[in-house]
Amino acid sequence: MENLELSSAFWKDKRVLVTGHTGFKGSWLSLWLHRLGADVAGYALAPDTRPNLFTITGVDSVLHSEIADIRDLDKLKTFATNFNPHIIIHMAAQALVRPSYCEPVETYSTNVMGTVNMLEAARACSALKAVVNVTTDKCYENRERDEGYREDEPMGGFDPYSSSKGCAELVTSSYRRSFFADNGDAAVASARAGNVIGGGDWSADRLIPDMLQSFMAGETVDIRNPAAVRPWQHVLEPLYGYLLLAERLCSDKRFAEGWNFGPRDDDARPVAWLADRLVELWGGDANWRNLSDDTQPHEAGFLRLDVTKATGQLGWQPRLDLDTALAWTVEWYQCFQNGGDVRAITEQQIANFESGKTST
């Protein structure tokens, strides 16, 4: 792999507002932006797990942090206009499928109205050049087909989470055409990524965190849908896409569209394959068992993204194969379990990703 095409000169002293900075992806992104020399501000709820990546890596030391609700328009607008960002990367969300069945109102209010609020705040920021709204691969109407979904295909979603993200895409498209259409306005794009993995994710009802927490506790993992196929990728892959897209948006509004960031086709693997590989990488007594039954809420059985547009027009492409992504993830959690410096390993993995190394 070659070095990344991200421009340190571009990001130096750029004011970047990250919503959702206390989350898994937001924490990785905030540390990366700090490394690039950006002036970062974050707006999000407090982390909802203990432990969490935001706290144990000291993300709050590298940015201006506002702990608040994305649904509070007045507070969000005040914070955003005071910071007056050049770039907004919006990731604040209720980001899980299964909890969306239990709390559909919160899911829709956060993911749909939260997006509306972010775009309203963006309209009031005089220095703003680019907005990247992060949604999900699940925003597409899933027809359980083999080929990947392209950016121009219909939005949809069976469960409340997936459909709320489809709605967020429609909101983004409407605001782009209604309020950000003139040449002097900020460029507004959306980014759709698949299932991300990596160190520091303790979210409930997510396969990798559930497995690795069980391994650390010496317990056998129960897996719901071992035959389900997902486009697995390391968290740094889509983050690289978001950063590259933001760079392009600042100079060319033709990039103000929807973009897929997914893994290579052969890295869309069944859950059972991934579980077996994690057991092998972790070693010891790590194990899993099948918990499939008819009482589980619906989740898509097959999902894949077509990333031809991003590779051809943005110059983005996946850099880590799935086996390397899993190895980096296991290495991170074993560092944490052994009391190692998780901030250091997080930053080292970012550096290795930038330079094209495949080991830490």
Side-chain angles (χ1 to χ4, degrees), residues 11 13-19 39-42 64 76-89 118 121-131 186 250:
W11 289 100
D13 297 327
K14 278 287 191 305
R15 294 190 302 276
V16 184
L17 171 58
V18 177
T19 72
D39 181 8
V40 188
H64 317 281
L76 174 61
K77 185 180 290 187
T78 298
F79 182 76
T81 53
N82 286 342
F83 183 63
N84 201 15
H86 300 109
I87 295 168
I88 296 175
I89 301 178
M118 179 276 295
R123 293 177 64 193
C125 296
S126 60
L128 190 66
K129 298 298 183 185
V131 176
C250 285

Side-chain angles (χ1 to χ4, degrees), residues 98 222-226 290-298:
R98 288 169 64 84
D222 292 324
I223 293 182
R224 298 186 302 267
N225 299 303
N290 187 346
L291 193 64
S292 295
D293 63 63
D294 295 333
T295 65
Q296 301 296 323
H298 175 273

Side-chain angles (χ1 to χ4, degrees), residues 97-115:
V97 170
R98 288 169 64 84
S100 76
Y101 283 106
C102 301
E103 298 180 333
V105 174
E106 179 181 349
T107 299
Y108 283 107
S109 62
T110 300
N111 295 351
V112 182
M113 288 310 300
T115 299

Side-chain angles (χ1 to χ4, degrees), residues 140 145 147-153 192 244 255 257-265 304-318:
Y140 294 107
R145 70 189 195 194
E147 65 265 27
Y149 291 89
R150 298 179 301 276
E151 287 86 347
D152 59 355
E153 298 197 64
R192 306 151 189 175
L244 190 60
F255 292 97
E257 300 176 334
W259 298 86
N260 289 340
F261 298 104
R264 302 175 182 89
D265 284 347
R304 179 181 289 160
L305 294 175
D306 184 321
V307 298
T308 303
K309 180 179 173 182
T311 57
Q313 298 183 35
L314 281 179
W316 174 91
Q317 60 181 344

Side-chain angles (χ1 to χ4, degrees), residues 197 267 273 277 280-281 320-329:
I197 63 177
D267 281 340
W273 181 93
R277 185 64 182 127
E280 182 180 358
L281 287 166
L320 303 178
D321 61 32
L322 180 55
D323 205 55
T324 301
L326 292 173
W328 282 22
T329 303

Side-chain angles (χ1 to χ4, degrees), residues 29-242:
L29 180 60
S30 297
L31 290 172
W32 198 349
L33 284 166
H34 174 68
R35 173 182 171 82
L36 289 168
D39 181 8
V40 188
Y43 185 101
L45 294 174
D48 60 0
T49 65
R50 295 291 184 273
N52 60 80
L53 185 63
F54 177 79
T55 300
I56 66 175
T57 57
V59 174
D60 61 346
S61 68
V62 305
L63 46 65
H64 317 281
S65 179
E66 179 78 2
I67 302 302
D69 198 319
I70 195 71
R71 294 171 293 184
D72 187 335
L73 175 58
D74 291 340
K75 183 171 287 188
L76 174 61
K77 185 180 290 187
T78 298
F79 182 76
T81 53
N82 286 342
F83 183 63
N84 201 15
H86 300 109
I87 295 168
I88 296 175
I89 301 178
H90 176 55
M91 296 193 292
Q94 193 299 95
L96 300 171
V97 170
R98 288 169 64 84
S100 76
Y101 283 106
C102 301
E103 298 180 333
V105 174
E106 179 181 349
T107 299
Y108 283 107
S109 62
T110 300
N111 295 351
V112 182
M113 288 310 300
T115 299
V116 171
N117 289 348
M118 179 276 295
L119 290 167
E120 279 295 301
R123 293 177 64 193
C125 296
S126 60
L128 190 66
K129 298 298 183 185
V131 176
V132 177
N133 178 30
V134 176
T135 62
T136 176
D137 57 350
K138 299 174 184 64
C139 66
Y140 294 107
E141 182 62 35
N142 193 337
R143 307 187 191 283
E144 300 286 354
R145 70 189 195 194
D146 290 343
E147 65 265 27
Y149 291 89
R150 298 179 301 276
E151 287 86 347
D152 59 355
E153 298 197 64
M155 299 292 103
F158 182 103
D159 57 89
Y161 166 71
S162 301
S163 67
S164 74
K165 286 297 194 174
C167 291
E169 284 282 353
L170 296 177
V171 167
T172 304
S173 176
S174 175
Y175 264 75
R176 178 169 54 236
R177 290 180 290 179
S178 299
F179 305 114
F180 295 94
D182 293 340
N183 287 335
D185 295 330
V188 177
S190 61
R192 306 151 189 175
N195 290 42
V196 295
I197 63 177
D201 188 0
W202 278 277
S203 303
D205 286 317
R206 288 185 59 130
L207 178 66
I208 301 295
D210 286 351
M211 290 194 70
L212 296 181
Q213 287 182 80
S214 295
F215 293 171
M216 287 188 282
E219 300 171 350
T220 297
V221 186
D222 292 324
I223 293 182
R224 298 186 302 267
N225 299 303
V229 176
R230 296 287 185 270
W232 310 99
Q233 60 186 155
H234 194 274
V235 63
L236 292 174
E237 302 276 27
L239 295 184
Y240 168 39
Y242 308 160

